[in-house]
Amino acid sequence: MQPWHQQLPIYQQLADQLAARLLDGELTEGEPMPSVRALASRYLLNPLTVSRALQALDEDGLLENRRGLGLYVRPGARERLREAARERFLASEWPALRARLQRLGITPHDLDWNP
């Protein structure tokens, strides 16, 4: 768990961390989300902050509320997140990264794409 910083509200930081866990496959589509209490305990946060983070993910269309059962990861949520992250990367991060690579004289042949 990363420490919370001042640039974003804590609920948004938690929502971002949960979205990252979904992207990484730690949270599975169709499966229930951990409860508010479990998340509050894990991240040492007020349950209202956790509820707001889950609400943000729900508003982004990543979760579905099954009445009486709780929140579940919506099918297709991982691909939706991946597509949004790709668009943000290509629009904002890639141009700066490409410019830095050019300044440093790094070519595609210098980069190792194998994990």
Side-chain angles (χ1 to χ4, degrees):
M1 180 175 68
Q2 300 173 358
W4 309 112
H5 55 78
Q6 300 297 319
Q7 288 82 8
L8 289 173
I10 292 175
Y11 82 86
Q12 186 61 58
Q13 294 176 61
L14 177 59
D16 292 346
Q17 285 188 24
L18 294 172
R21 288 181 59 198
L22 176 59
L23 254 180
D24 292 341
E26 293 177 36
L27 299 172
T28 309
E29 293 178 0
E31 295 294 319
M33 286 293 291
S35 70
V36 169
R37 284 185 185 179
L39 290 169
S41 175
R42 178 180 180 174
Y43 291 99
L44 304 174
L45 292 172
N46 183 309
L48 292 174
T49 301
V50 173
S51 293
R52 180 63 187 104
L54 293 173
Q55 180 183 0
L57 294 175
D58 185 33
E59 290 170 358
D60 287 344
L62 303 175
L63 303 178
E64 60 181 326
N65 191 350
R66 296 183 185 170
R67 191 168 207 87
L69 298 175
L71 288 170
Y72 283 71
V73 179
R74 193 179 290 271
R78 188 172 185 201
E79 188 55 38
R80 178 186 215 136
L81 266 175
R82 180 178 286 137
E83 201 49 47
R86 283 177 49 99
E87 287 177 22
R88 275 193 311 275
F89 173 80
L90 292 173
S92 61
E93 295 176 48
W94 174 243
L97 180 58
R98 185 176 56 207
R100 185 164 186 212
L101 291 170
Q102 288 173 340
R103 277 193 308 276
L104 297 174
I106 297 174
T107 68
H109 301 291
D110 297 323
L111 301 174
D112 180 13
W113 292 100
N114 297 320

